[in-house]
Amino acid sequence: VPLVSVTLYLKTGVLDEPAGKAGLSELTGDVMQVGGAGDWSAEALEEMVESMGASLGSKVERDMATLSFHCRARDLDRGLDVLAAVLARPRFDAARFALCRDQTLEGLRRRRDDPEALATEAFQKLLYGADSPWARQPTAESVKGITRDDVVAFHRDHVLPTLWSIAVSGDV
């Protein structure tokens, strides 16, 4: 199948969040992928990705984050343009920021119904200590305190070209 996957690995993550702003790195990744980029509004970016039959995604872990783009090989050049814009020139649309924050808050509310998530959270606090960045978990309070300006600043300070690695696989 003539498909290509491009994944950027970023040396940043939850450990880079300031105290009191738990959830900032993941919210930044979420808004980067849906909040518009470069010359594209949030809606135009979404339509372009959909028209290519492609997918754009982000994931944030403790000490790393990924931004990935999957597309048909014939759309690779356009896909790389999209990925570059999302990475280097995200718009962080205010309405999409609010939507992502609301979705994060709903996920936190539902986390209380997941025994595995609760056990992991308790284990990390016991293992690392309640005040350790390794045990820090987003809360409704911390997420409500995150502003669009916080997201823009986190991107500016932590999504730097010196912290990227790239992996490309598929029909290239």
Side-chain angles (χ1 to χ4, degrees):
V1 179
L3 299 176
V4 177
S5 293
V6 180
T7 303
L8 288 160
Y9 295 89
L10 302 142
K11 190 177 178 182
T12 189
V14 173
L15 295 176
D16 292 322
E17 297 172 343
K21 298 285 184 178
L24 175 59
S25 58
E26 189 168 353
L27 191 55
T28 301
D30 291 345
V31 183
M32 281 176 67
Q33 79 182 47
V34 300
D39 295 331
W40 301 298
S41 67
E43 295 79 14
L45 179 63
E46 191 173 81
E47 288 174 17
M48 177 177 295
V49 171
E50 285 180 13
S51 73
M52 289 191 286
S55 66
L56 176 66
S58 68
K59 182 176 182 180
V60 178
E61 297 179 20
R62 295 275 178 227
D63 57 353
M64 68 173 270
T66 59
L67 182 64
S68 59
F69 193 82
H70 308 282
C71 65
R72 295 174 295 204
R74 70 179 186 209
D75 294 325
L76 181 58
D77 288 342
R78 195 163 53 148
L80 290 173
D81 290 342
V82 168
L83 191 59
V86 169
L87 186 65
R89 297 178 292 134
R91 286 185 166 194
F92 298 114
D93 178 82
R96 295 292 177 102
F97 164 78
L99 176 64
C100 287
R101 188 171 59 182
D102 289 346
Q103 289 171 335
T104 299
L105 289 168
E106 178 59 20
L108 290 172
R109 187 188 67 73
R110 282 189 266 133
R111 185 175 72 185
R112 296 286 155 224
D113 298 331
D114 181 358
E116 183 179 348
L118 294 174
T120 299
E121 184 177 334
F123 179 72
Q124 287 175 336
K125 285 183 181 180
L126 285 171
L127 182 65
Y128 300 116
D131 295 330
S132 170
W134 286 90
R136 193 180 300 145
Q137 293 288 328
T139 63
E141 182 179 290
S142 69
V143 172
K144 286 178 183 176
I146 297 170
T147 66
R148 181 185 174 279
D149 290 340
D150 292 328
V151 167
V152 171
F154 188 87
H155 176 270
R156 179 193 65 231
D157 296 341
H158 297 284
V159 182
L160 305 170
T162 57
L163 301 176
W164 305 343
S165 297
I166 188 168
V168 181
S169 63
D171 187 17
V172 291

